[in-house]
Amino acid sequence: MQFLLDNFFAFTITGIALGAVYALIALGYTLVYGVLQLINFAHSEVFMYGTFATVFTMYLLESAGLELSASGPKFILIMLICLVAAMTASSLIALLLERVAYRPLIKRDAPKLVALISAIGASFMLAELMG
């Protein structure tokens, strides 16, 4: 019991952060389902590509001589560059996925099961490409 009381604030912050991540993922699924009328199982892989874009951007910034342990305005600039890289990579992957995997099925009025199988296949493909 003492352990819980000693770490209550840290556990609360961690719980709020984890809940915010869950909420973002749920909102993404809801928005995609609302627009495309199918569940995009490749949704998490799109997030993964954005995360790796951030990692690669930080690596490129570090190899270009920028100090990543900066503080103040320099830190904010680094985070903004990484944010733009993540948004760009995620949006390009999502656009490509929609154009290649989903739009042809929607135009042909394919059954929902076919679109669902396509979404699962796209999820596997994106995960294996990154692997």
XYZ file of all heavy atoms in Angstrom, residues 47-123:
576
model
N 0.735 4.308 -38.166
C 1.359 4.966 -37.014
C 2.823 4.544 -36.875
O 3.678 5.355 -36.540
C 0.621 4.635 -35.715
C -0.595 5.454 -35.478
C -1.779 4.852 -35.106
C -0.583 6.826 -35.603
C -2.917 5.586 -34.876
C -1.706 7.586 -35.375
C -2.876 6.955 -35.010
N 3.095 3.265 -37.126
C 4.462 2.762 -37.011
C 5.378 3.465 -38.006
O 6.504 3.837 -37.673
C 4.490 1.253 -37.248
C 5.887 0.664 -37.251
S 5.936 -1.064 -37.709
C 5.395 -1.024 -39.402
N 4.913 3.669 -39.232
C 5.733 4.355 -40.226
C 6.011 5.802 -39.803
O 7.099 6.319 -40.030
C 5.069 4.309 -41.603
C 5.391 3.038 -42.352
C 4.692 1.874 -42.120
C 6.418 3.002 -43.275
C 4.989 0.709 -42.795
C 6.728 1.847 -43.953
C 6.009 0.702 -43.708
O 6.324 -0.454 -44.373
N 5.041 6.456 -39.187
C 5.270 7.802 -38.675
C 6.303 7.820 -37.565
O 7.155 8.713 -37.493
N 6.247 6.817 -36.697
C 7.222 6.726 -35.612
C 8.624 6.492 -36.155
O 9.593 7.129 -35.716
C 6.832 5.586 -34.654
O 5.514 5.817 -34.183
C 7.785 5.513 -33.486
N 8.746 5.591 -37.098
C 10.064 5.344 -37.683
C 10.558 6.548 -38.479
O 11.764 6.790 -38.552
C 10.056 4.090 -38.549
C 10.298 2.839 -37.762
C 9.257 2.007 -37.423
C 11.582 2.502 -37.352
C 9.477 0.862 -36.684
C 11.817 1.360 -36.616
C 10.764 0.530 -36.274
N 9.653 7.312 -39.073
C 10.070 8.544 -39.755
C 10.674 9.518 -38.760
O 11.666 10.196 -39.054
C 8.883 9.178 -40.471
N 10.108 9.573 -37.550
C 10.676 10.423 -36.502
C 12.064 9.946 -36.115
O 12.996 10.750 -35.975
C 9.757 10.421 -35.267
O 8.486 10.937 -35.656
C 10.333 11.251 -34.153
N 12.221 8.650 -35.946
C 13.532 8.092 -35.572
C 14.556 8.372 -36.661
O 15.688 8.798 -36.380
C 13.417 6.582 -35.286
C 14.784 5.954 -35.107
C 12.560 6.339 -34.064
N 14.192 8.135 -37.915
C 15.126 8.383 -39.017
C 15.466 9.864 -39.128
O 16.603 10.227 -39.432
C 14.558 7.868 -40.339
C 14.405 6.377 -40.399
C 13.367 5.813 -41.111
C 15.280 5.526 -39.736
C 13.210 4.439 -41.174
C 15.139 4.154 -39.785
C 14.097 3.609 -40.510
N 14.481 10.731 -38.897
C 14.734 12.169 -38.941
C 15.699 12.592 -37.842
O 16.626 13.377 -38.090
C 13.411 12.946 -38.807
O 12.539 12.547 -39.864
C 13.643 14.434 -38.872
N 15.513 12.053 -36.658
C 16.436 12.378 -35.565
C 17.844 11.873 -35.876
O 18.830 12.546 -35.591
C 15.926 11.804 -34.249
C 14.686 12.507 -33.753
S 14.128 11.923 -32.170
C 15.212 12.851 -31.110
N 17.937 10.703 -36.485
C 19.240 10.175 -36.875
C 19.899 11.080 -37.920
O 21.091 11.385 -37.837
C 19.089 8.752 -37.417
C 20.366 8.165 -37.932
C 21.352 7.712 -37.050
C 20.614 8.056 -39.292
C 22.535 7.180 -37.508
C 21.787 7.528 -39.762
C 22.750 7.087 -38.866
O 23.922 6.569 -39.339
N 19.109 11.527 -38.904
C 19.653 12.417 -39.932
C 20.067 13.766 -39.344
O 21.104 14.324 -39.735
C 18.633 12.627 -41.047
C 18.391 11.435 -41.968
C 17.242 11.731 -42.916
C 19.648 11.096 -42.741
N 19.277 14.291 -38.426
C 19.638 15.562 -37.788
C 20.914 15.426 -36.971
O 21.763 16.322 -36.964
C 18.496 16.056 -36.903
C 17.239 16.538 -37.616
C 16.140 16.849 -36.615
C 17.539 17.739 -38.490
N 21.061 14.285 -36.295
C 22.261 14.061 -35.501
C 23.484 13.887 -36.388
O 24.558 14.418 -36.105
C 22.087 12.838 -34.607
C 23.234 12.636 -33.649
C 22.994 11.450 -32.738
O 22.563 10.392 -33.239
O 23.242 11.607 -31.546
N 23.326 13.174 -37.507
C 24.467 12.990 -38.409
C 24.809 14.277 -39.148
O 25.931 14.425 -39.634
C 24.181 11.861 -39.398
O 23.103 12.204 -40.239
N 23.852 15.219 -39.218
C 24.124 16.516 -39.837
C 24.817 17.465 -38.871
O 25.159 18.587 -39.234
C 22.832 17.139 -40.348
N 25.000 17.013 -37.629
C 25.732 17.825 -36.667
C 24.871 18.585 -35.693
O 25.370 19.367 -34.893
N 23.553 18.367 -35.715
C 22.665 19.058 -34.797
C 22.651 18.303 -33.467
O 22.502 17.087 -33.431
C 21.248 19.111 -35.372
C 20.288 20.097 -34.749
C 20.809 21.517 -34.896
C 18.938 19.994 -35.418
N 22.822 19.026 -32.376
C 22.864 18.405 -31.061
C 21.446 18.125 -30.578
O 20.644 19.037 -30.375
C 23.574 19.333 -30.078
C 23.791 18.730 -28.723
C 24.517 19.703 -27.802
O 25.290 20.540 -28.289
O 24.287 19.598 -26.593
N 21.108 16.842 -30.412
C 19.749 16.464 -30.044
C 19.441 16.680 -28.567
O 18.284 16.676 -28.169
C 19.493 14.998 -30.410
C 19.510 14.698 -31.902
C 19.214 13.235 -32.140
C 18.538 15.568 -32.662
N 20.463 16.870 -27.749
C 20.217 17.100 -26.331
C 20.069 18.589 -26.030
O 20.326 19.038 -24.927
C 21.355 16.506 -25.502
O 22.579 17.141 -25.842
N 19.644 19.337 -27.025
C 19.478 20.785 -26.864
C 18.261 21.076 -26.003
O 17.424 20.222 -25.745
C 19.322 21.433 -28.234
N 18.152 22.295 -25.576
C 16.989 22.718 -24.799
C 16.495 24.049 -25.343
O 17.161 24.700 -26.139
C 17.353 22.854 -23.318
O 18.348 23.832 -23.159
N 15.310 24.421 -24.918
C 14.753 25.704 -25.332
C 14.261 25.696 -26.762
O 13.688 24.716 -27.238
N 14.480 26.796 -27.486
C 13.974 26.918 -28.853
C 14.563 25.878 -29.807
O 13.881 25.431 -30.728
C 14.403 28.320 -29.282
C 14.664 29.053 -28.020
C 15.077 28.040 -27.011
N 15.790 25.469 -29.564
C 16.418 24.466 -30.425
C 15.694 23.120 -30.293
O 15.467 22.421 -31.280
C 17.890 24.319 -30.063
C 18.737 23.700 -31.125
C 20.183 23.721 -30.671
C 21.093 23.673 -31.871
N 22.499 23.660 -31.473
N 15.319 22.773 -29.066
C 14.576 21.538 -28.824
C 13.208 21.588 -29.510
O 12.770 20.611 -30.114
C 14.418 21.310 -27.322
C 13.555 20.137 -26.975
C 14.052 18.853 -27.095
C 12.252 20.322 -26.540
C 13.262 17.760 -26.787
C 11.460 19.243 -26.229
C 11.964 17.963 -26.344
N 12.541 22.735 -29.411
C 11.232 22.887 -30.050
C 11.362 22.755 -31.561
O 10.526 22.115 -32.215
C 10.595 24.229 -29.639
C 10.259 24.205 -28.156
C 9.346 24.526 -30.471
C 9.803 25.529 -27.602
N 12.406 23.321 -32.140
C 12.633 23.199 -33.580
C 12.851 21.740 -33.983
O 12.288 21.271 -34.978
C 13.834 24.051 -34.000
C 14.216 23.959 -35.477
C 13.123 24.561 -36.342
C 15.539 24.639 -35.729
N 13.646 21.013 -33.204
C 13.890 19.600 -33.502
C 12.582 18.818 -33.443
O 12.291 17.997 -34.319
C 14.942 19.022 -32.530
C 16.311 19.633 -32.809
C 15.008 17.502 -32.623
C 17.353 19.323 -31.756
N 11.773 19.063 -32.421
C 10.503 18.351 -32.285
C 9.531 18.708 -33.412
O 8.799 17.851 -33.906
C 9.859 18.651 -30.928
C 10.574 18.025 -29.762
S 10.588 16.224 -29.845
C 12.309 15.907 -30.135
N 9.532 19.962 -33.845
C 8.664 20.348 -34.961
C 9.091 19.679 -36.264
O 8.250 19.242 -37.049
C 8.653 21.869 -35.115
C 7.830 22.636 -34.095
C 7.993 24.139 -34.296
C 6.375 22.239 -34.170
N 10.396 19.586 -36.491
C 10.892 18.899 -37.684
C 10.486 17.430 -37.645
O 10.023 16.871 -38.651
C 12.419 19.066 -37.799
C 12.772 20.515 -38.116
C 12.997 18.138 -38.868
C 14.251 20.835 -38.022
N 10.633 16.801 -36.484
C 10.233 15.397 -36.343
C 8.732 15.220 -36.509
O 8.276 14.244 -37.119
C 10.690 14.854 -34.993
S 12.471 14.663 -34.863
N 7.943 16.161 -35.995
C 6.494 16.102 -36.136
C 6.079 16.196 -37.603
O 5.233 15.426 -38.071
C 5.839 17.228 -35.333
C 4.329 17.315 -35.406
C 3.692 16.120 -34.720
C 3.844 18.605 -34.778
N 6.698 17.100 -38.337
C 6.386 17.239 -39.762
C 6.777 15.971 -40.520
O 6.040 15.501 -41.389
C 7.085 18.487 -40.349
C 7.023 18.507 -41.856
C 6.467 19.747 -39.777
N 7.925 15.381 -40.177
C 8.358 14.148 -40.839
C 7.381 13.013 -40.551
O 7.013 12.247 -41.452
C 9.761 13.770 -40.381
N 6.928 12.894 -39.315
C 5.989 11.836 -38.953
C 4.647 12.021 -39.649
O 4.069 11.056 -40.172
C 5.802 11.798 -37.443
N 4.151 13.257 -39.675
C 2.871 13.517 -40.337
C 2.966 13.257 -41.834
O 2.041 12.696 -42.433
C 2.419 14.949 -40.070
C 1.973 15.185 -38.657
S 1.205 16.794 -38.355
C 2.374 17.933 -39.023
N 4.078 13.653 -42.436
C 4.251 13.448 -43.872
C 4.304 11.966 -44.209
O 3.625 11.502 -45.137
C 5.531 14.160 -44.362
O 5.447 15.538 -44.027
C 5.711 13.998 -45.845
N 5.114 11.207 -43.467
C 5.234 9.777 -43.737
C 3.898 9.068 -43.515
O 3.478 8.258 -44.353
C 6.312 9.171 -42.851
N 3.215 9.376 -42.430
C 1.937 8.721 -42.139
C 0.889 9.055 -43.194
O 0.160 8.176 -43.650
C 1.422 9.137 -40.767
O 2.259 8.658 -39.763
N 0.834 10.312 -43.596
C -0.181 10.692 -44.585
C 0.115 10.092 -45.950
O -0.808 9.672 -46.656
C -0.315 12.206 -44.667
O 0.901 12.783 -45.091
N 1.382 10.012 -46.324
C 1.715 9.398 -47.615
C 1.409 7.905 -47.630
O 0.882 7.384 -48.619
C 3.186 9.649 -47.960
C 3.538 11.082 -48.351
C 5.041 11.219 -48.576
C 2.773 11.505 -49.595
N 1.727 7.216 -46.543
C 1.425 5.785 -46.457
C -0.090 5.566 -46.469
O -0.601 4.683 -47.170
C 2.061 5.162 -45.196
C 3.575 5.154 -45.314
C 1.537 3.759 -44.936
C 4.128 4.272 -46.397
N -0.830 6.368 -45.724
C -2.292 6.230 -45.688
C -2.908 6.533 -47.052
O -3.833 5.831 -47.489
C -2.871 7.146 -44.625
N -2.401 7.547 -47.732
C -2.914 7.881 -49.062
C -2.622 6.766 -50.054
O -3.499 6.366 -50.832
C -2.300 9.199 -49.544
C -2.770 9.704 -50.896
C -4.232 10.090 -50.824
C -1.926 10.874 -51.340
N -1.414 6.244 -50.022
C -1.051 5.136 -50.905
C -1.913 3.911 -50.624
O -2.399 3.255 -51.552
C 0.432 4.803 -50.736
C 0.973 3.656 -51.572
C 1.064 4.094 -53.032
C 2.341 3.234 -51.075
N -2.124 3.621 -49.367
C -2.948 2.481 -48.978
C -4.382 2.644 -49.464
O -4.983 1.699 -49.990
C -2.910 2.341 -47.454
C -3.571 1.139 -46.826
C -2.864 -0.124 -47.264
C -3.522 1.278 -45.323
N -4.916 3.828 -49.307
C -6.289 4.066 -49.746
C -6.418 3.965 -51.257
O -7.373 3.391 -51.776
C -6.744 5.453 -49.262
C -8.229 5.676 -49.341
C -8.668 6.300 -50.647
O -7.857 6.987 -51.295
O -9.818 6.090 -51.024
N -5.433 4.508 -51.979
C -5.492 4.487 -53.447
C -5.290 3.092 -54.027
O -5.916 2.742 -55.018
C -4.428 5.423 -54.042
C -4.565 6.858 -53.678
C -5.660 7.503 -54.445
N -5.852 8.863 -53.970
C -6.213 9.847 -54.729
N -6.433 9.654 -55.991
N -6.378 11.042 -54.208
N -4.411 2.308 -53.400
C -4.064 1.002 -53.967
C -4.979 -0.105 -53.450
O -5.423 -0.953 -54.223
C -2.580 0.671 -53.653
C -2.238 -0.750 -54.041
C -1.671 1.645 -54.374
N -5.264 -0.113 -52.156
C -5.972 -1.251 -51.571
C -7.479 -1.042 -51.431
O -8.239 -1.993 -51.578
C -5.371 -1.572 -50.201
N -7.905 0.171 -51.130
C -9.317 0.366 -50.790
C -10.153 0.974 -51.905
O -11.273 0.551 -52.142
C -9.449 1.232 -49.534
C -8.724 0.669 -48.349
C -8.063 1.492 -47.458
C -8.680 -0.692 -48.113
C -7.394 0.985 -46.368
C -8.014 -1.219 -47.029
C -7.372 -0.367 -46.158
O -6.709 -0.867 -45.083
N -9.636 1.977 -52.586
C -10.437 2.671 -53.601
C -10.897 1.749 -54.730
O -12.066 1.826 -55.135
C -9.672 3.866 -54.148
C -10.530 4.691 -55.097
C -9.894 5.970 -55.460
N -9.987 6.889 -54.324
C -9.697 8.151 -54.392
N -9.267 8.662 -55.530
N -9.797 8.939 -53.356
N -10.023 0.866 -55.269
C -10.534 -0.033 -56.317
C -11.678 -0.931 -55.847
O -12.609 -1.209 -56.614
C -9.304 -0.878 -56.696
C -8.140 -0.052 -56.308
C -8.574 0.716 -55.110
N -11.632 -1.349 -54.598
C -12.712 -2.191 -54.081
C -13.995 -1.397 -53.892
O -15.091 -1.910 -54.153
C -12.292 -2.819 -52.754
C -11.115 -3.786 -52.830
C -10.707 -4.229 -51.445
C -11.457 -4.969 -53.705
N -13.864 -0.162 -53.453
C -15.053 0.678 -53.258
C -15.701 0.998 -54.605
O -16.929 0.989 -54.740
C -14.676 1.960 -52.486
C -14.284 1.594 -51.045
C -15.810 2.961 -52.486
C -13.656 2.735 -50.271
N -14.873 1.253 -55.634
C -15.418 1.560 -56.962
C -16.153 0.363 -57.562
O -17.090 0.530 -58.323
C -14.295 1.998 -57.897
C -13.848 3.408 -57.681
C -12.820 3.810 -58.705
C -12.404 5.245 -58.487
N -11.369 5.669 -59.445
N -15.710 -0.848 -57.239
C -16.346 -2.056 -57.781
C -17.506 -2.540 -56.924
O -18.073 -3.597 -57.205
C -15.308 -3.175 -57.878
C -14.254 -2.917 -58.894
C -13.315 -4.085 -58.988
N -12.200 -3.721 -59.849
C -10.958 -4.104 -59.650
N -10.653 -4.879 -58.637
N -10.019 -3.736 -60.481
N -17.828 -1.817 -55.878
C -18.884 -2.214 -54.941
C -18.653 -3.628 -54.416
O -19.569 -4.458 -54.381
C -20.276 -2.109 -55.587
C -20.684 -0.676 -55.812
O -20.282 0.172 -54.989
O -21.388 -0.402 -56.800
N -17.430 -3.884 -54.035
C -17.078 -5.202 -53.500
C -17.739 -5.394 -52.135
O -18.001 -4.426 -51.423
C -15.561 -5.318 -53.363
N -17.992 -6.641 -51.780
C -18.571 -6.897 -50.448
C -17.635 -6.428 -49.337
O -16.425 -6.330 -49.514
C -18.721 -8.424 -50.417
C -18.643 -8.870 -51.831
C -17.840 -7.852 -52.567
N -18.221 -6.158 -48.175
C -17.440 -5.661 -47.031
C -16.373 -6.665 -46.601
O -15.310 -6.274 -46.132
C -18.358 -5.359 -45.854
C -19.349 -4.270 -46.116
C -18.672 -2.932 -46.141
C -19.715 -1.847 -46.323
N -19.116 -0.559 -46.566
N -16.635 -7.947 -46.778
C -15.668 -8.965 -46.384
C -14.410 -8.879 -47.232
O -13.296 -9.060 -46.730
C -16.292 -10.358 -46.479
C -15.420 -11.510 -45.995
C -15.072 -11.323 -44.526
C -16.111 -12.831 -46.215
N -14.546 -8.567 -48.507
C -13.388 -8.433 -49.389
C -12.526 -7.245 -48.952
O -11.296 -7.337 -48.908
C -13.832 -8.282 -50.862
C -12.655 -7.978 -51.763
C -14.547 -9.536 -51.327
N -13.168 -6.144 -48.617
C -12.427 -4.976 -48.131
C -11.743 -5.276 -46.803
O -10.622 -4.824 -46.556
C -13.367 -3.790 -47.992
N -12.395 -6.042 -45.948
C -11.808 -6.427 -44.671
C -10.576 -7.297 -44.874
O -9.539 -7.092 -44.231
C -12.847 -7.160 -43.826
C -12.472 -7.516 -42.414
C -12.359 -6.246 -41.588
C -13.498 -8.447 -41.821
N -10.639 -8.235 -45.788
C -9.494 -9.089 -46.093
C -8.369 -8.261 -46.702
O -7.189 -8.470 -46.412
C -9.917 -10.245 -47.016
C -10.840 -11.185 -46.257
C -8.711 -10.996 -47.557
C -11.522 -12.211 -47.121
N -8.714 -7.309 -47.546
C -7.710 -6.407 -48.117
C -7.022 -5.583 -47.034
O -5.804 -5.363 -47.081
C -8.371 -5.478 -49.140
O -7.454 -4.552 -49.632
N -7.774 -5.148 -46.042
C -7.196 -4.372 -44.953
C -6.234 -5.224 -44.124
O -5.160 -4.755 -43.725
C -8.311 -3.819 -44.063
N -6.598 -6.469 -43.868
C -5.707 -7.361 -43.121
C -4.443 -7.636 -43.930
O -3.334 -7.624 -43.401
C -6.438 -8.667 -42.756
C -7.553 -8.365 -41.758
C -5.472 -9.691 -42.173
C -8.480 -9.536 -41.506
N -4.595 -7.863 -45.224
C -3.427 -8.084 -46.090
C -2.531 -6.861 -46.144
O -1.295 -6.981 -46.133
N -3.114 -5.680 -46.206
C -2.314 -4.452 -46.218
C -1.560 -4.288 -44.908
O -0.403 -3.850 -44.889
C -3.219 -3.249 -46.465
N -2.184 -4.672 -43.805
C -1.522 -4.607 -42.502
C -0.301 -5.516 -42.481
O 0.785 -5.100 -42.059
C -2.516 -5.014 -41.411
O -1.867 -5.113 -40.173
